[in-house]
Amino acid sequence: MEADRIYNFNPGPATLPLPVLKEAQAEFLNFRGSGESILEISHRAKEYAAMQDEAKADIKTLMGLGDDYEVLFMTGGASTQFALLPLNFATKEKKGAYVLSGSFAEKAFKEADHLGVGVVAASSKDGGYKHIPQQDELQIPKDAAYVHLCYNNTIYGTEYHYIPETNGVPLFADMSSDMLSRPLDFKSFDFIYAGVQKNLGPAGVTLVVAKKSFLEKSPEALPTMFKYETFLKKDSLYNTPPAFNIYMVGKVAHWILTEGGLPEMAKRNKKKADLLYGVIDASDGFYRGHAEPASRSFMNVTFRLPSEELEKKFVGEALAEGLGGVKGHRSVGGMRASIYNAMTYEGVEKLANFMQKFQKANA
Ligand SMILES: *Cc1c(COP(=O)(O)O)cnc(C)c1O
């Protein structure tokens, strides 16, 4: 840890691997011997093309996906995908079926609903989104265009620990806040997307990994930039891409690979999450976790304290100890520690120790 940096528990933009930041710093003025910065170079340059190809290949290697899947780099964040999915894939006859598990899942549904092409497949809103709807709660119309999930609910701190059986209906997932955090059978998904600023890079690029068959043909009537077909056929270079952001995502993907890939990330992330949930569970109710234990997220640990006054004090004293960004989202209140891939065990250990110390002093 650098002496002048804090442990950053922000939900997104979020902490990035220190080796990646240092590498980017070292290469900042001269990208791959081009004599130009990545911020200045043409997206048609051969150095740029090689970088983008490597980033795509590393992402597919990590996910264990072959030629039937394609990686796209888009813009507008996950929020734009919320609108593009129903525009590209749903109709009034074949609707998108949405599992509502939190705020972002709701926002995704809202876009489809607004177009009259969305239907709710399940919801855990009653009770405050404390759990992930389980298989037996899902009501998926047989003729749905897709089932849409939000795989990790960044705000509520819940995460899927199973892949739903959809009986042939294509499976779409917003993985903005847990993309590349653990191995999954990614082949079970037809369309995955992520705003990268949670676990994979700086805000400004949206990662899409989808079956090519879903990207090849988009509705004629859509504007060019709203068609996945455009991004597939032009290798995400129809318009000027956010080059620096893609470069950073490539670096993070490569870092994950060299650290041991998704199995290693999963091991580390579970160890970090177990430590914090352990402190919560052993606190005699001083800390109250928001998520039901079976739906707990490995990425965002949400919890309340006995009073809002103590919560305020917690945030302030944590920051004084170099632990930043622990304030929860206003819709849940309390605390949220986001412990993405780049958060070190050392940082989480510091937070766990602080939590125990704070409880002793204030219980
Ligand atoms: C942050 C987040 C979003 C919104 O992403 P933007 O890139 O800001 O549009 C959507 N879904 C999830 C799960 C998120 O965590």
Side-chain angles (χ1 to χ4, degrees), residues 5 8 43 61 69 124 131-132 210 216-217 220 304 322:
R5 282 172 57 83
N8 175 359
H43 56 294
T61 300
Y69 282 80
S124 54
H131 85 281
I132 294 290
E216 274 162 353
K217 191 94 200 70
E220 203 66 55
R304 305 283 322 236

Side-chain angles (χ1 to χ4, degrees), residues 1 48 72 75 79 81 88 94 115 177 196 224 280 290 301:
M1 191 64 183
Y48 178 85
L72 309 179
T75 53
S79 301
Q81 298 298 315
N88 275 269
K94 271 174 87 75
L115 296 165
S177 50
V196 305
T224 311
I280 291 169
H290 178 79
V301 178

Side-chain angles (χ1 to χ4, degrees), residues 181 265-273 299 339-341:
S181 67
M265 291 300 123
K267 207 171 99 191
R268 293 182 192 177
N269 290 330
K270 182 169 186 315
K271 194 171 163 211
K272 289 182 287 177
M299 300 275 95
I339 50 173
Y340 302 119
N341 287 351

Side-chain angles (χ1 to χ4, degrees), residues 245-290:
N245 309 68
I246 294 168
Y247 157 85
M248 289 296 286
V249 170
K251 281 214 173 301
V252 170
H254 196 72
W255 173 80
I256 296 172
L257 268 177
T258 55
E259 291 292 304
L262 301 190
E264 177 62 22
M265 291 300 123
K267 207 171 99 191
R268 293 182 192 177
N269 290 330
K270 182 169 186 315
K271 194 171 163 211
K272 289 182 287 177
D274 283 348
L275 181 58
L276 293 184
Y277 289 122
V279 171
I280 291 169
D281 290 342
S283 73
D284 283 327
F286 184 80
Y287 297 114
R288 284 169 293 124
H290 178 79

